[in-house]
Amino acid sequence: MKRMILFLCLLCFLNNTFSQSDTIKWEAYLYIKTFLTNPNRYLYEYQDTTGNIIIPQGKYSNLSVPDEYGFICAWKEKAGKDREYDVGFIDIHENILIPFSYSYAIPFSQNLACVERDGKKGYINRNGNVVIDFLFDSYSSFYTDGVAFVKKIISQSKETLPDGDERIVFNTKRVLIDTLGNEIINEKHPYQSIKENFKNDHFLWIQKDDKWAFFDPKGNQLTPFIFDAMHPANVCAYKPNLYYGQDMRWFYKGLTVVEKDKEYAILNENMEYVVPFGTYQWISPMSVGGLMIVKENNKYGLVNHQLKLMQPIEFDLISNEPAIYHEQNFPSFWAKKNGKYYIFDTLGYWKDSIEYDNIKLLQANFYLVTKDENQWRMDRYGAKIIEDFTIIKSACAGFVASKDSLFGLVDVEGKIVIPFEYEDIFCDRGTFVKKEGKWGTVNEELWGNEKETIRQFIPCKYDYITYAWDDSSDSKNYIVVQNDKFGKVTETGIEIFPCLYDGITTWVEYGPNGHYVMIGNKMGLIDYSGNLMIPILYDNVTCLFGTKWAEIYDNGKMGLCDKKNGTLFLPLEYDYIYVDAFWMDTDKPIRIVTYKDSIVDILDEKGNILQSDVSERDIKEKYDINISQYYTLPCSYELLLMMHNRTFNPPDCMLEIFKTDNQSIESIYYNME
């Protein structure tokens, strides 16, 4: 079924004269792009303003918007050839301006169009004459600076594919060329990397010997190679639900922040230091409005693009970090000093002259503020929002809110999406709701859809529910709990396997498609459908990434078993087993080191003994294996199975690892309540 989405662009064209001296009078036309859900392609057409079809839908496989001279890049699929095209240029009346003699093309820029012939790319002018020969392996438009980055072909060779066919492979280098094809600069020696941002900035950022320098588009070096990093401004328009929308400006309001040897400075477009290195401990990238956070003597302040101190350097913390998944335009700053919180606008002024007891950043850069035990929401401009419910936290595409001691969901504008009739709500790849002490799910398609009705996908009958990281299925599946036992259901509540297990993991990291499970104090492995893979008989089971085995451990002894069917490869009788296998180096033979009764043997992947009664020194010298380094009891996160309504204390070995790494013990507890 066709679904008309995306956009309608109203384009008005003035009288223009071609190099052929043909004059075409332009009117207003509608450029219509239609998305086909199956297959994943588009259809294009043109209409006049009264709805008459000028170029019918489907006549061309692709049509561009006319440029200022009326050139439309048009694609026609070759008869009997799927996704092979003849490409040329036409006008709105389908007059052929440049013949359909290319296999690929992009619209004109700087009066040159990049076209493809015989797998190679070159540039033509509006008369169809080749201006820059077919020397490249990539497409690029010319920027307003009259330069383009392309991959220039250095050499070519033939490669035989698994089916016996051959293809041409190009060896290339990335080069910057001008509109005559002259090579200005390239990414081979002596430069490690070349970056450009010609959409917004007219400079090159080039790396040599691990240091960076600025160049102009003509290849002239503007600064020495002394910088470790540049910190551009992230300047974006307000776009709710935009995932990491970015519009990076290297120089915003004529300034950029650079870093050298962990010191910071501010540079202008004339490559002059307006704030020298060493002035501040740290300088943030510039935000909308031109503000930068500066740090001095471990205190923070705000400086604007005119280098005026807008807030004194006396705060314990200042941040303008946005809530991810939503707008990225940093509309305001929050700061903390002496236990109180403040909000500053994009120019650095104290927004509302209020000292808050607490501030929490919500989605879409809304604030949840607390003052004198009262709590309310503020918009991205610092205005208080009057609502008859209380926002609790960010969730899904909006907020969990409470009213009359019950919970519901509202969107970022405060519209009620799920009514206030639940005891609790949380979101984690699903919208989970609690009623009468039990958990279920409701549909997620509610957000932004006026016509969607609320449906109870999984009924509220479980003690707990969470998302199963089941990557073997196109649909969502969930781990559920009943009477402190774990099971699994589909997103519509159909049982995959019943609630049988005392513990379960939502997946097996770097392992087979399955779940570690526990009955009593014994572990095993099941697949995503609940079929037994490794019997639930062992103190610990750890799947070895890049191998066909899992380590098993029980009563102080170790063995190896097959991950698919649980059959023993090495019996459960060894003091220690180390498998020397690295998944990225498939040519390296797998070696198995066993330790039993103070005797070390080395086995191959079939279990044959390669060397017996080996000394630790020989293992280190011949096989680069330090047995003393690996001789420890199995200790892994697999022991931290999800346990309903209680914290599962990790084993002593895990506590020692976290103590050595100076990590918080609480970070490894997984308490579902």
Side-chain angles (χ1 to χ4, degrees):
M1 181 181 72
K2 298 179 181 178
R3 183 175 54 181
M4 297 287 292
I5 61 173
L6 297 179
F7 56 83
L8 294 176
C9 296
L10 181 62
L11 303 172
C12 296
F13 302 104
L14 304 175
N15 294 341
N16 291 280
T17 303
F18 294 97
S19 57
Q20 298 96 330
S21 298
D22 293 331
T23 300
I24 297 179
K25 293 183 179 180
W26 293 100
E27 301 171 354
Y29 295 96
L30 291 175
Y31 170 71
I32 300 176
K33 185 177 181 181
T34 307
F35 176 57
L36 295 177
T37 58
N38 189 18
N40 188 7
R41 295 189 180 183
Y42 297 91
L43 292 177
Y44 302 83
E45 69 176 288
Y46 275 91
Q47 297 179 8
D48 63 20
T49 53
T50 62
N52 296 318
I53 303 297
I54 305 299
I55 300 178
Q57 186 181 86
K59 184 172 183 179
Y60 297 93
S61 301
N62 195 345
L63 289 173
S64 72
V65 176
D67 63 20
E68 68 271 27
Y69 294 102
F71 279 68
I72 299 172
C73 186
W75 297 40
K76 295 191 297 187
E77 193 165 58
K78 292 183 177 180
K81 301 284 188 179
D82 184 41
R83 306 229 172 185
E84 290 188 22
Y85 305 95
D86 291 317
V87 185
F89 290 82
I90 62 175
D91 64 19
I92 194 68
H93 302 295
E94 297 186 83
N95 297 310
I96 296 176
L97 305 179
I98 295 176
F100 286 79
S101 56
Y102 302 104
S103 55
Y104 195 100
I106 58 178
F108 280 90
S109 62
Q110 301 299 300
N111 289 318
L112 293 177
C114 188
V115 294
E116 179 181 297
R117 180 180 289 165
D118 299 327
K120 299 179 181 180
K121 290 81 176 174
Y123 289 85
I124 61 173
N125 61 19
R126 295 188 185 275
N127 292 320
N129 299 324
V130 176
V131 175
I132 303 176
D133 207 356
F134 294 86
L135 303 172
F136 309 106
D137 189 34
S138 66
Y139 303 98
S140 177
S141 298
F142 276 91
Y143 299 100
T144 55
D145 296 279
V147 292
F149 262 117
V150 289
K151 291 181 180 178
K152 187 174 182 179
I153 299 170
I154 302 172
S155 61
Q156 65 184 59
S157 59
K158 288 185 178 181
E159 179 180 80
T160 302
L161 300 175
D163 59 6
D165 290 342
E166 290 186 340
R167 68 175 180 181
I168 300 296
V169 178
F170 297 126
N171 178 27
T172 66
K173 65 178 180 180
R174 191 165 177 253
V175 299
L176 183 71
I177 61 173
D178 63 20
T179 54
L180 298 177
N182 298 315
E183 185 176 314
I184 298 173
I185 204 165
N186 68 70
E187 207 169 33
K188 294 294 183 181
H189 182 78
Y191 302 128
Q192 296 166 265
S193 180
I194 301 175
K195 297 182 179 180
E196 52 79 19
N197 189 33
F198 289 138
K199 175 184 175 183
N200 296 317
D201 297 279
H202 303 282
F203 298 101
L204 295 169
W205 182 238
I206 298 179
Q207 186 183 35
K208 176 184 176 183
D209 298 329
D210 296 325
K211 294 291 184 179
W212 294 86
F214 283 105
F215 282 64
D216 68 18
K218 303 301 181 183
N220 299 311
Q221 185 173 340
L222 302 177
T223 67
F225 284 96
I226 60 173
F227 303 113
D228 297 313
M230 171 182 49
H231 301 283
N234 184 4
V235 186
C236 299
Y238 172 62
K239 294 181 179 179
N241 300 313
L242 178 65
Y243 178 73
Y244 277 110
Q246 294 184 340
D247 184 13
M248 305 304 295
R249 305 289 179 91
W250 290 2
F251 285 83
Y252 179 55
K253 296 186 180 293
L255 303 177
T256 193
V257 178
V258 289
E259 181 181 351
K260 180 187 73 171
D261 301 327
K262 297 183 180 180
E263 292 187 345
Y264 296 82
I266 300 175
L267 203 65
N268 66 20
E269 291 179 306
N270 295 323
M271 303 301 153
E272 300 167 335
Y273 292 103
V274 294
V275 175
F277 286 107
T279 305
Y280 299 108
Q281 286 176 272
W282 175 74
I283 306 173
S284 76
M286 197 178 301
S287 69
V288 170
L291 283 183
M292 292 164 281
I293 305 169
V294 294
K295 181 180 181 182
E296 186 178 359
N297 298 323
N298 295 320
K299 294 292 184 178
Y300 297 86
L302 288 175
V303 171
N304 68 13
H305 66 283
Q306 296 173 332
L307 308 183
K308 179 183 177 182
L309 195 63
M310 299 302 297
Q311 290 295 332
I313 305 175
E314 60 183 26
F315 293 90
D316 301 318
L317 183 64
I318 298 180
S319 176
N320 67 335
E321 182 181 0
I324 61 172
Y325 307 119
H326 288 272
E327 64 173 296
Q328 301 288 311
N329 69 335
F330 306 169
S332 53
F333 294 76
W334 64 268
K336 182 180 181 181
K337 181 176 67 173
N338 300 327
K340 295 294 183 179
Y341 293 82
Y342 307 82
I343 295 177
F344 304 122
D345 65 17
T346 56
L347 298 179
Y349 295 108
W350 193 0
K351 187 67 182 178
D352 50 15
S353 302
I354 297 176
E355 289 185 338
Y356 296 101
D357 298 322
N358 197 9
I359 289 178
K360 183 178 180 181
L361 183 62
L362 297 170
Q363 297 191 69
N365 278 343
F366 286 95
Y367 290 107
L368 186 64
V369 299
T370 304
K371 175 72 173 175
D372 300 331
E373 298 184 356
N374 295 314
Q375 192 174 74
W376 64 89
R377 188 165 63 117
M378 295 175 59
D379 69 15
R380 62 188 185 275
Y381 303 111
K384 183 177 181 179
I385 300 174
I386 306 300
E387 297 167 319
D388 63 350
F389 47 78
T390 302
I391 299 294
I392 303 299
K393 60 184 177 181
S394 296
C396 302
F399 311 108
V400 174
S402 67
K403 183 178 181 180
D404 300 328
S405 299
L406 292 176
F407 291 88
L409 282 174
V410 300
D411 64 18
V412 294
E413 301 301 330
K415 175 187 173 183
I416 297 175
V417 178
I418 294 179
F420 296 94
E421 57 184 52
Y422 297 99
E423 297 159 14
D424 200 358
I425 296 177
F426 76 93
C427 299
D428 181 16
R429 289 174 172 79
T431 303
F432 305 119
V433 293
K434 185 178 183 181
K435 182 178 284 189
E436 297 180 358
K438 299 295 182 180
W439 287 93
T441 67
V442 296
N443 49 314
E444 294 182 70
E445 291 78 8
L446 298 164
W447 300 103
N449 192 335
E450 298 276 352
K451 299 179 181 179
E452 186 72 37
T453 56
I454 299 173
R455 288 180 291 167
Q456 189 82 48
F457 271 17
I458 298 177
C460 293
K461 66 176 185 179
Y462 295 103
D463 300 327
Y464 205 81
I465 185 169
T466 191
Y467 179 73
W469 292 83
D470 188 340
D471 57 8
S472 68
S473 173
D474 293 332
S475 60
K476 295 179 180 179
N477 297 323
Y478 296 93
I479 300 294
V480 293
V481 182
Q482 275 188 329
N483 301 319
D484 286 340
K485 300 287 185 180
F486 289 82
K488 186 176 179 182
V489 299
T490 68
E491 62 182 339
T492 57
I494 299 174
E495 184 180 277
I496 297 175
F497 54 80
C499 295
L500 300 173
Y501 302 103
D502 296 312
I504 194 170
T505 60
T506 56
W507 68 321
V508 177
E509 186 174 14
Y510 301 124
N513 292 338
H515 309 278
Y516 292 111
V517 290
M518 180 178 283
I519 294 181
N521 291 318
K522 297 297 183 180
M523 280 184 64
L525 180 71
I526 61 174
D527 66 19
Y528 285 149
S529 298
N531 301 309
L532 194 65
M533 300 171 70
I534 296 177
I536 309 170
L537 301 172
Y538 308 108
D539 292 339
N540 179 255
V541 175
T542 302
C543 293
L544 299 176
F545 182 49
T547 77
K548 59 184 177 181
W549 305 301
E551 289 179 341
I552 53 175
Y553 177 80
D554 200 61
N555 295 321
K557 296 295 181 181
M558 289 184 67
L560 288 181
C561 71
D562 190 295
K563 288 187 289 191
K564 292 184 177 180
N565 54 34
T567 57
L568 289 177
F569 177 74
L570 293 180
L572 193 64
E573 60 184 33
Y574 295 92
D575 299 312
Y576 177 69
I577 295 174
Y578 169 69
V579 178
D580 183 28
F582 188 48
W583 67 276
M584 293 182 67
D585 189 358
T586 56
D587 294 331
K588 180 181 177 181
I590 293 177
R591 293 165 298 190
I592 305 168
V593 180
T594 63
Y595 189 88
K596 178 182 177 183
D597 300 331
S598 300
I599 295 175
V600 177
D601 292 334
I602 299 178
L603 286 60
D604 64 17
E605 59 182 321
K606 295 182 179 180
N608 302 315
I609 295 179
L610 297 174
Q611 195 172 353
S612 61
D613 200 5
V614 185
S615 69
E616 291 189 19
R617 180 177 178 179
D618 285 345
I619 292 178
K620 175 62 178 175
E621 291 180 353
K622 294 182 179 180
Y623 296 96
D624 195 28
I625 297 173
N626 188 345
I627 190 69
S628 61
Q629 176 183 349
Y630 297 108
Y631 181 42
T632 57
L633 296 179
C635 188
S636 62
Y637 86 98
E638 287 84 7
L639 292 172
L640 305 178
L641 298 174
M642 289 165 35
M643 309 293 285
H644 178 57
N645 204 24
R646 68 182 186 274
T647 297
F648 182 69
N649 292 320
D652 292 338
C653 62
M654 180 70 78
L655 297 178
E656 286 299 320
I657 290 173
F658 273 71
K659 182 179 179 181
T660 301
D661 294 341
N662 197 30
Q663 296 188 45
S664 170
I665 299 303
E666 288 78 10
S667 65
I668 57 174
Y669 290 173
Y670 199 126
N671 186 358
M672 292 187 63
E673 284 292 302

